[in-house]
Amino acid sequence: MAMMENAPIGPGNAQVMNRFELTRRLVAQLPADAAVIGGIGNTNFDLWMAGRRPQNFYMLGSMGLACPIAFGVALAQPQRRVVALEGDGSLLMQLGALATIAAQKPKNLAIVVMDNASYQITGGQATATAAGTDLVTMARGAGIARSAWAADEAMFDALAAQALAEDGPWFIAARIDDKPGVGTTERDPVIITDRFMRGLGTKG
Ligand SMILES: Cc1ncc(C[n+]2csc(CCOP(=O)(O)OP(=O)(O)O)c2C)c(N)n1
């Protein structure tokens, strides 16, 4: 039993948390100029509801692009902290991004994955994580050494603080419940892009 108590945190013993609560906690810690890329669906709905910021980009339409977009922003603006917020289903659709990020090692990039083991927004179909795929083990295998499961909210806060202050790339995964996003992002890609470019200082 003693060995069990010391077991590393994994999807089997991490607490099931709530996406909006964790998103709120993350946003509360952000440096003012940090960019956040929300993946399609619930991830960006909760980011939107956690407080609109011109440095937030809300992905619409295609799964798997939060990490590649955040990676591009991190390379283009190395002085800025950049966070990718992604769902497990979307991350699984674009796993190659982890290897590319690991190879390029952007120090200013953190990936946060909300793992509800399902494609929730399209009806709750099970993803591979429901069958045991461990996203942190995959990220570490891709070469992202600073990869961890958040055991609970306090550990999520601590990991987020570390990822926003210390060299990355970082990969943080959290098990979350099946509560839907708490709102809906305004769906206007032109406005979203324009606001983001101004927020990043690339458009006057
Ligand atoms: C390339 C692509 N394939 C399929 C879809 C349809 N689709 C939209 S959201 C979604 C599920 C997303 O799952 P996940 O990223 O785990 O987020 P969750 O819904 O669980 O919050 C699917 C299948 C899509 N938008 N793009």
Side-chain angles (χ1 to χ4, degrees):
M1 288 312 278
M3 274 182 70
M4 292 286 288
E5 281 162 27
N6 294 327
I9 305 302
N13 58 0
Q15 229 177 65
V16 175
M17 297 176 273
N18 175 261
R19 183 180 41 243
F20 181 61
E21 173 62 22
L22 294 184
T23 306
R24 217 182 46 74
R25 285 168 176 262
L26 175 73
V27 169
Q29 289 201 47
L30 291 174
D33 67 343
V36 185
I37 317 300
I40 179 175
N42 290 309
T43 311
N44 85 56
F45 291 175
D46 280 352
L47 178 63
W48 175 266
M49 296 306 287
R52 288 147 221 187
R53 308 168 58 250
Q55 298 84 5
N56 290 355
F57 182 76
Y58 308 93
M59 185 60 207
L60 305 175
S62 290
M63 295 168 70
L65 291 183
C67 293
I69 294 170
F71 175 49
V73 173
L75 289 184
Q77 299 195 343
Q79 303 313 319
R80 191 187 296 276
R81 289 279 159 180
V82 184
V83 180
L85 267 182
E86 190 63 294
D88 56 310
S90 295
L91 183 80
L92 286 163
M93 192 165 272
Q94 193 66 277
L95 278 178
L98 296 182
T100 306
I101 287 165
Q104 297 296 320
K105 299 185 176 40
K107 290 179 180 170
N108 53 331
L109 177 63
I111 299 166
V112 177
V113 178
M114 302 290 186
D115 184 359
N116 55 10
S118 74
Y119 301 98
Q120 182 184 5
I121 210 163
T122 49
Q125 303 86 354
T127 66
T129 71
T133 296
D134 181 331
L135 298 175
V136 166
T137 303
M138 294 188 90
R140 215 172 273 138
I144 302 179
R146 297 187 175 105
S147 297
W149 282 97
D152 52 26
E153 289 170 348
M155 186 172 169
F156 180 85
D157 286 347
L159 286 168
Q162 217 179 341
L164 290 168
E166 296 175 20
D167 284 356
W170 289 87
F171 184 95
I172 301 167
R175 288 188 66 206
I176 56 155
D177 60 30
D178 61 0
K179 297 219 172 64
V182 298
T184 308
T185 309
E186 200 174 275
R187 288 169 182 270
D188 190 323
V190 174
I191 291 176
I192 289 172
T193 305
D194 184 75
R195 203 181 284 145
F196 184 61
M197 289 175 76
R198 291 177 198 280
L200 262 56
T202 59
K203 190 172 178 180

